[in-house]
Amino acid sequence: MDKLLVLLEKNPRLSNKEIAVMLGISEEDVEEKIRLYEQTGIIKGYRAIIDKNKAYAETVTALIEIKVQPKFGHGFDEIANKIAQLEEVESVYLMSGGFDLCCLVSDKSFQEVAMFVANRLSPLDGVVSTATHFILKKYKEQGVFFTEKKKDDRGTISL
């Protein structure tokens, strides 16, 4: 992968000037490459990773595994795209194993997730079954640690 993409993935807040110095190219070249990556869809967007516990958000994140009956000639794509269009769904993945698809729903209450699965996801044509898992604690997400090292507050003892 291009070094520019690696830098942006790790820290999208780097300025074009900082990136240019790191890569040994001009700011104009950096700007042009970024513009090209955005236009061609290689760069899909930029996001901040928020620690919802510290922000006192009283919401949950759910991973929902989905077994589906794929349609002939469409495979899993048709049902995966239908699920992706649901406004509650943040991400959808095709997976191996006991389930076919997995979707991520976040920033909802337990009740909202339950009603989404019962009223919107499960009734979709082609959905055979679901299994919902709630994230209880995040330790690391997208390379960012959520746990802090515990401070040793025992103090210094001298004899």
Side-chain angles (χ1 to χ4, degrees), residues 8-78:
L8 285 175
E9 190 172 42
K10 286 185 180 177
N11 185 359
R13 294 189 63 183
L14 288 171
S15 70
N16 289 352
K17 184 176 185 176
E18 291 170 318
I19 294 170
V21 169
M22 292 172 152
L23 297 178
I25 61 177
S26 71
E27 278 186 69
E28 293 77 22
D29 287 344
V30 170
E31 188 176 321
E32 177 62 26
K33 280 183 150 188
I34 290 173
R35 187 177 56 72
L36 182 64
Y37 287 148
E38 289 172 346
Q39 286 177 347
T40 58
I42 292 171
I43 295 176
K44 297 291 188 186
Y46 304 90
R47 292 187 72 172
I49 299 170
I50 309 296
D51 187 332
K52 302 289 172 81
N53 288 332
K54 286 187 177 180
Y56 303 106
E58 295 187 13
T59 60
V60 296
T61 299
L63 290 169
I64 305 166
E65 296 174 311
I66 308 158
K67 283 186 184 178
V68 300
Q69 181 63 50
K71 289 190 176 177
F72 182 77
H74 297 281
F76 296 101
D77 293 345
E78 185 175 313

Side-chain angles (χ1 to χ4, degrees), residues 27 76 81 98-99 102 115 133 138 143 147 149:
E27 278 186 69
F76 296 101
N81 285 320
F99 288 84
C102 178
M115 291 299 98
H133 308 276
K138 289 183 183 178
T147 54
K149 292 183 180 179

